Amino acid sequence: MAEKALIPAKTRGRPKSYDPDRALWAALEQFWAGGYAATSLDELAASTGMNRPSLYAAFGDKKALYLKTLTRFSAELRAALGRDLYAKDDMAAALEQFYAGALDFYLTGPDGPRGCFAICTATAEAANDAEIRAALEIILKEIDEGLEARLRHAQSLGQIDADADTSALAKVAAATLHSLAVRARAGESRETLEKLASQTAQLIAPKRKENKGK
């Protein structure tokens, strides 16, 4: 999904070549590894190469920084939806490629499989924090809408039934994506997860047998 962060060199304070996008990616990686609650400001400062005053000046407090990383992640997610879902003409193949791209990130991390950044960090905080809940809701809605748009395209090409409920199918596809994230973090094998992804793709857009005339 999102591209792997390039962690900037650790320097004291805000470096002259300070790049807010790279700093955000570094913070995102830190939150991804430890979760929101367990990640300290000292860890965020070290990972971004900025001291606390510079970190506050650039991004605000810890929650403000976390919300900005969710926004940055959301931008990469939109790019992945537009790229991977349209890389294949066939709907099932496109879904499988989308899931494969997600698994590339869910199953990797500095300390092992880490799942999805939003699903595996924001859900724990959303129950008690309205701002994080709203940010998570936006991300989930973007996934649903991106999948539904692709399904409507497939429907226009006759790849799925004309009367199929693309909104409901999009939520099924999204539910599998979220399940892959959680299961990857829990340690399930890629082979098992790929089977789940493939079965979902075939369920949503089954291959059609051509009627051959005699």
Side-chain angles (χ1 to χ4, degrees):
M1 303 285 281
E3 293 182 2
K4 237 177 184 180
L6 294 173
I7 305 301
K10 294 181 175 65
T11 57
R12 188 171 181 79
R14 182 185 295 188
K16 291 181 181 179
S17 59
Y18 164 72
D19 183 337
D21 193 58
R22 292 181 70 198
L24 267 181
W25 269 116
L28 185 151
E29 291 278 356
Q30 193 65 52
F31 281 127
W32 202 345
Y36 173 75
T39 298
S40 70
L41 284 170
D42 286 340
E43 288 172 323
L44 291 167
S47 67
T48 58
M50 302 166 66
N51 60 27
R52 282 198 186 193
S54 295
L55 198 63
Y56 275 112
F59 301 110
D61 61 15
K62 176 181 168 181
K63 187 169 82 168
L65 175 55
Y66 177 67
L67 289 170
K68 286 181 173 67
T69 64
L70 284 175
T71 299
R72 186 64 184 83
F73 175 79
S74 179
E76 285 296 319
L77 178 61
R78 286 194 299 274
L81 285 164
R83 180 183 65 245
D84 295 345
L85 284 177
Y86 293 86
K88 303 286 187 181
D89 292 332
D90 178 72
M91 184 69 238
L95 265 179
E96 289 193 40
Q97 178 151 327
F98 178 63
Y99 289 141
L103 288 175
D104 286 342
F105 287 91
Y106 293 173
L107 293 168
T108 59
D111 302 308
R114 57 184 178 177
C116 169
F117 174 62
I119 296 300
C120 294
T121 65
T123 50
E125 309 302 324
N128 299 307
D129 191 299
E131 289 181 281
I132 294 177
R133 182 165 61 250
L136 178 60
E137 183 180 10
I138 289 171
I139 290 172
L140 296 180
K141 185 178 180 182
E142 287 179 340
I143 294 171
D144 288 348
E145 290 178 345
L147 287 164
E148 185 177 1
R150 180 62 178 87
L151 285 162
R152 287 199 303 268
H153 177 65
Q155 195 173 50
S156 72
L157 298 176
Q159 294 178 359
I160 59 176
D161 292 339
D163 60 351
D165 186 338
T166 54
S167 177
L169 288 176
K171 287 180 171 56
V172 171
T176 294
L177 181 69
H178 306 326
S179 180
L180 292 174
V182 174
R183 291 173 181 275
R185 189 143 179 162
E188 288 197 16
S189 69
R190 180 163 192 137
E191 181 182 7
T192 299
L193 297 174
E194 285 178 342
K195 286 180 181 178
L196 172 59
S198 180
Q199 287 296 314
T200 299
Q202 294 303 322
L203 176 67
I204 290 172
K207 293 181 180 179
R208 300 189 172 201
K209 295 180 179 180
E210 297 181 0
N211 293 319
K212 295 182 180 181
K214 292 183 180 181

